[in-house]
Amino acid sequence: MTCAEFKELAGALALDALDADERAAARAHLSEPRHEGCPEAFARATAAARLLSGALPDVQPPDRVWRGIAARISARASRRRWAVASGWIAAAAAAVLAAILAGRNAGLHSEIDAMRARSATVETRAASSEELARQCAAQLEGARRTSGLARDAIALLEQRGSRVVAFAPQGGFGAAALAVVGSDGRRAILLSSALAPTAARDYQLWIIPPGKGAAPVPAGLVIAAGGIALGDFQPGVLARGAAALAVSAEPKGGSPTGAPTQVVLVAALGV
Amino acid sequence: MMMTSLWLLLAAVAGGLGAEELIALIARGEPGALRSLYDAVGGRAMSIALRLLGSAADAEEVVQDTFVEIWRRASEYRAERGAPAAWVAAMTRSRAIDRLRERGRADQALRAIALEPPRNPDPPPSESAARREERARIGAALAALPPEQRRTLELAYFEGLTQSEIARATGEALGTVKTRIRLGMEKLADSLVEALG
C-alpha cells in the first residue's frame, strides 16, 4: 500500500469500517518506517471519529451496571498492591473500613459475600485495603470512639450506594484527602491525615454549586480526631447541589472574607 | 490559590478536564475514581453501545466490560490522543463492534437497509451546558455534510458497518461509499478537531 492509498483509507480505518484484509494492510502500512503524512492523517481522522460519540444524548445506565462493575473490580483490586498505589490517605479510608469491620458483628464479611452485588462498592474498598486497614485499625478505632463524625463517616460508608472521591492537591499542596459521599449526594465527609488545624491555621470546607461562575459556599471547618482530620460538608448546603468540593487554608476561625483564601484541595463530583 | 484560580478550576470541572485526573487515580487503584469517571461518562458509553447493539442487555454488558477494562488499562491512557470521554467512548464502541461481529451482521444489515436512523433518545434532564454545547456542535458539523455523506458516516459509525456492508445495504457502488467516507471524514476533521479535539 502506498502512502496515497493509505490516506484514502485513513477515515474508514479510524471508523473501523474497513474489511479485515484492508484493515490489516492499512495497519501494516502504518508500521512502516517512512511516510508522507500517514500517521498524521490517521491521528486526525481518529480524533474526528472519537468526537462523533458526542453526537448522541447520554443514556443513564441502570444501577445494576455499576454494581456489576464494582463486583468485578473488587476481585482485581484485592490483588493490587494497595500500599504502593494509595499511600497514607488511602489508609485513612482503609482504617475507617477497618473500624466498620471491627465495629460490626463478626459476620459482616460473610454478609458482604452473600450480598456482593448489593454492597459491591463497600466490598471493593474492603478488599483493596485490608492490609493497611490492619495497620491503621488501632489508630482509627480511637477516632471512631471519640468522634461522632467518624461514626457518621462509618455509617456513610456502610450506606448502600455510597462512594469515595479523591481530592486533588492544588497549588503544590503536599497532601491529599478523600471524601465519603452518600448515595443521594446530600452528605459528604472528608478524611485526611494532613489537614489537622494548627494554632494559627484552620482548614475550611467549601461547596462549589453547579453552574458557571457560581460562588463557592462555606460549608464548615475541618476538625481533628484520633489523628485523623475529618470534615462534614454542611448537609443543608450540599442538598442544594454541588459540582465540586474544596478545602482552603484559612486564618484561625475561617475565611475572613467569605471567599476561599487559599484553595488546597478540590474534588469534582460527577464531572 | 486565589479566587481567579478557583474560577479556572470551575471551568475545568465544567469542561470535564478533571476526568484526566480521575484516570490517573484509577491507574493507582482508586475505585472511587472509577465510580466518578463512570458517573461522568457512563451515560455516553451506554448511549453508543445501545445505538450500535440495539439491545439494552447487550449494551449494559458492553459498558460493564469497558469500565472493567478501564480499571485494568488506565495507565495506558494518553491525554494527547484525546479527551477521556472520547477515549471511553472509543473503547465502548470497539467492544460493541466486536460483539456485533460475533453476532453476525445479517440483522444489522437489515436495519441499515431501512436507511432510517433510529430516533435518538431525549437528553437527560441533568445534561450539563457544556455537554449540550458539545452535542450541538457535533450535530451541526454532521448536518453541514451533504446528506449522502452524512448517512454513510452514520452507517459506519453508529451502525458499525464496513464500507462493503454499506455498499451492499444501500446498493451504492463500493467506490462511491469509499469516496463519501473519505470526504465526510475530512470535512468533519476540519470542522471538529480544532474546535473540540
Side-chain angles (χ1 to χ4, degrees), chain A residues 118-235:
Chain A
R118 184 176 65 77
S119 59
T121 303
V122 170
E123 191 205 15
T124 297
R125 292 174 213 140
S128 58
S129 56
E130 261 183 21
E131 187 173 341
L132 279 181
R134 279 196 297 274
Q135 294 173 16
C136 300
Q139 189 173 9
L140 198 74
E141 182 60 22
R144 190 179 75 84
R145 280 198 300 270
T146 56
S147 167
L149 193 49
R151 282 194 291 276
D152 284 357
I154 290 166
L156 205 57
L157 262 173
E158 287 182 310
Q159 190 181 84
R160 181 180 173 185
S162 67
R163 60 184 171 129
V164 175
V165 297
F167 282 79
Q170 304 296 311
F173 189 61
L178 301 171
V180 186
V181 181
S183 57
D184 60 2
R186 290 169 178 260
R187 187 83 190 270
I189 298 176
L190 171 140
L191 305 164
S192 172
S193 64
L195 293 178
T198 66
R201 182 164 61 185
D202 269 325
Y203 289 99
Q204 188 162 7
L205 309 171
W206 300 87
I207 291 168
I208 302 172
K212 215 168 186 175
V217 180
L221 296 176
V222 172
I223 61 170
I228 302 286
L230 297 155
D232 190 6
F233 290 86
Q234 287 177 4

Side-chain angles (χ1 to χ4, degrees), chain A residues 51-150:
Chain A
L51 287 169
L52 281 175
S53 69
L56 298 175
D58 292 356
V59 175
Q60 199 56 42
D63 291 345
R64 61 178 170 269
V65 175
W66 171 254
R67 290 200 298 271
I69 295 166
R72 288 169 64 183
I73 68 170
S74 69
R76 294 179 182 279
S78 66
R79 295 194 291 270
R80 288 197 181 197
R81 288 180 171 274
W82 183 256
V84 174
S86 302
W88 210 99
I89 296 304
V96 170
L97 262 180
I100 295 172
L101 296 174
R104 292 185 59 182
N105 64 54
L108 180 60
H109 255 314
S110 59
E111 181 187 332
I112 286 176
D113 287 342
M115 298 186 294
R116 170 169 295 215
R118 184 176 65 77
S119 59
T121 303
V122 170
E123 191 205 15
T124 297
R125 292 174 213 140
S128 58
S129 56
E130 261 183 21
E131 187 173 341
L132 279 181
R134 279 196 297 274
Q135 294 173 16
C136 300
Q139 189 173 9
L140 198 74
E141 182 60 22
R144 190 179 75 84
R145 280 198 300 270
T146 56
S147 167
L149 193 49

